[in-house]
Amino acid sequence: MLILGIESTAHTFGIGIFDGKILADARSVYKPLKGGIHPAEAAKHHENAKEEILAKALNEAGIGLSDLDLLAYAAGPGLPPCLRVGLDFVKKLRRETKKPVVAVNHPVAHIEIAKMLTKAKDPVVLYTSGGNTQVIGYASGRYRVFGETQDIAVGNAIDTFIRETVGGYPGGPAMEHLASKGRNYIELPYVVKGMDLSFSGILTAAMEKYKRGADISDLCFSFQETCYAMLTEVTERALAHSEKKEVLLTGGVAASERLQEMISIMCKERNASAFLCPKEYSGDNGIMIAVAGFLAYRSGHRTKKLDFDSKWRVDEAEIMWMEG
Ligand code: ATP
Ligand code: FE2
């Protein structure tokens, strides 16, 4: 079965072609000139990139449109103008190919590609990026959110702190480098409420201490230690409650060596296995949409109405392929 997946939820327009193996992975990433992502501009980028990315993907896979068996697209969550581009494009491809189409939930796709590549079976997923911080695990037909940030994502907190102090983007690698030179722990608010987390207080406190002259390396060291300890605590509790035996790290912040280390130590102590999504596929891409679309279709899912939902939560998506 040959599946084409379309990703367009935020900054990336991607098309992946999958048949059990990754045959093509074409992407174009919108980069704002300054500041954050402008939804209308990102959509314009996708609009301009889509035909070229399709041609590139088909060429890479060495197939034509008529060879495809199934089309999949990311239907949410995401930025409405960007989702619209993906939806319109899949409708056009459906008219041209007359093939079935499945709507895919974007975070579910992040989880499925990570599982496929690491061979994790039924993990507690720690999904941490610039836009998301969630601890997720499968139970009775859904990916349940065990815990999540109540305000900003951890990557966003890191990026903002680095941008406002030493400058530059992304903040993660810069923070990691500075932290390696830090020696003294500076107290920052450690905020875990039940299974939920908060990172905005850490950001405010760290900024305040920076302005009052605290050493930047010590601050980065403390920032990391605090955030990653919080993430590890919630992940550990999710493991204990769910009685799962695997942890899967994905999203951009999963590249942090210190976070990987903390999660590995915790897993070892609990006799669980830690898995890490390869970097090339932890960011947004079309392959992950094709993979999740394939799993959904193969397990009997049929999308009736083609639409998008910019607020579609991971725990609202029906998961039919995990039992048995
Ligand atoms: P999504 O749309 O899924 O939220 P995203 O747009 O945030 O994804 P990603 O590439 O998944 O994109 O994640 C980027 C984030 O990862 C940034 O916040 C960046 O600072 C962070 N990051 C990258 N490398 C590291 C690192 N070594 N340590 C910590 N954070 C890192
Ligand atoms: Fe994403």
Side-chain angles (χ1 to χ4, degrees):
M1 184 166 218
L2 208 49
I3 306 116
L4 178 142
I6 303 171
E7 160 60 31
S8 77
T9 61
H11 41 58
T12 301
F13 187 86
I15 291 193
I17 299 174
F18 180 77
D19 72 344
K21 291 191 300 298
I22 296 172
L23 299 182
D25 172 22
R27 309 178 197 184
S28 175
V29 181
Y30 154 80
K31 293 189 187 80
L33 291 173
K34 81 181 207 314
I37 181 166
H38 302 274
E41 298 239 319
K44 209 191 295 166
H45 161 270
H46 295 356
E47 199 57 63
N48 292 332
K50 64 187 187 188
E51 289 296 346
E52 197 185 320
I53 292 299
L54 173 66
K56 204 171 159 201
L58 291 172
N59 185 43
E60 210 175 299
I63 61 157
L65 268 186
S66 57
D67 296 320
L68 293 168
D69 300 302
L70 180 67
L71 306 169
Y73 73 106
L79 304 168
C82 297
L83 290 165
R84 164 73 58 199
V85 177
L87 175 66
D88 289 345
F89 201 49
V90 85
K91 283 182 174 169
K92 173 181 172 273
L93 295 181
R94 180 174 65 166
R95 281 195 298 274
E96 291 173 13
T97 61
K98 312 266 184 301
K99 290 296 147 64
V101 179
V102 285
V104 167
N105 177 274
H106 176 91
V108 167
H110 270 299
I111 296 170
E112 292 307 336
I113 185 126
K115 277 167 56 192
M116 182 186 91
L117 295 171
T118 60
K119 305 204 159 58
K121 295 269 176 304
D122 181 18
V124 167
V125 181
L126 174 55
Y127 172 35
T128 55
S129 61
N132 290 282
T133 302
Q134 287 182 321
V135 179
I136 300 165
Y138 176 82
S140 347
R142 291 275 190 275
Y143 280 118
R144 312 284 167 181
V145 177
F146 292 135
E148 65 191 321
T149 180
Q150 293 293 329
D151 41 59
I152 55 175
V154 63
N156 183 353
I158 292 171
D159 292 340
T160 308
F161 182 68
I162 291 298
R163 194 178 62 232
E164 306 275 310
T165 54
V166 293
Y169 175 87
M175 179 169 282
E176 194 159 45
H177 177 71
L178 286 165
S180 69
K181 295 188 282 187
R183 290 291 169 265
N184 307 303
Y185 183 79
I186 298 171
E187 184 97 15
L188 293 172
Y190 182 104
V191 190
V192 174
K193 290 180 191 147
M195 291 293 280
D196 288 330
L197 310 124
S198 158
F199 297 100
S200 67
I202 299 175
L203 177 59
T204 311
M207 282 308 304
E208 203 111 298
K209 296 200 178 189
Y210 176 75
K211 283 179 193 147
R212 280 201 248 110
D215 179 74
I216 185 71
S217 299
D218 285 343
L219 271 177
C220 285
F221 168 71
S222 311
F223 204 108
Q224 281 198 170
E225 291 302 303
T226 310
C227 293
Y228 299 162
M230 286 162 54
L231 292 171
T232 305
E233 179 191 326
V234 172
T235 306
E236 178 168 23
R237 214 137 9 99
L239 262 184
H241 289 325
S242 64
E243 298 182 354
K244 294 188 192 296
K245 286 283 159 213
E246 303 171 330
V247 173
L248 176 57
L249 266 173
T250 190
V253 182
S256 161
E257 285 179 19
R258 183 60 179 136
L259 177 61
Q260 292 172 18
E261 183 182 34
M262 282 195 200
I263 292 286
S264 307
I265 292 169
M266 180 275 284
C267 284
K268 209 166 190 179
E269 284 169 355
R270 299 200 70 92
N271 277 322
S273 312
F275 296 93
L276 182 63
C277 182
K279 231 176 172 168
E280 316 89 274
Y281 293 104
S282 67
D284 294 351
N285 63 82
I287 282 291
M288 68 185 201
I289 306 302
V291 168
F294 169 65
L295 291 170
Y297 192 81
R298 192 180 59 174
S299 61
H301 172 84
R302 298 291 178 269
T303 299
K304 288 178 199 86
K305 190 170 175 294
L306 298 196
D307 208 345
F308 68 78
D309 177 356
S310 65
K311 300 214 153 60
W312 192 16
R313 280 176 58 89
V314 66
D315 46 10
E316 292 164 350
E318 191 179 33
I319 308 300
M320 294 159 66
W321 55 87
M322 282 291 286
E323 300 296 339

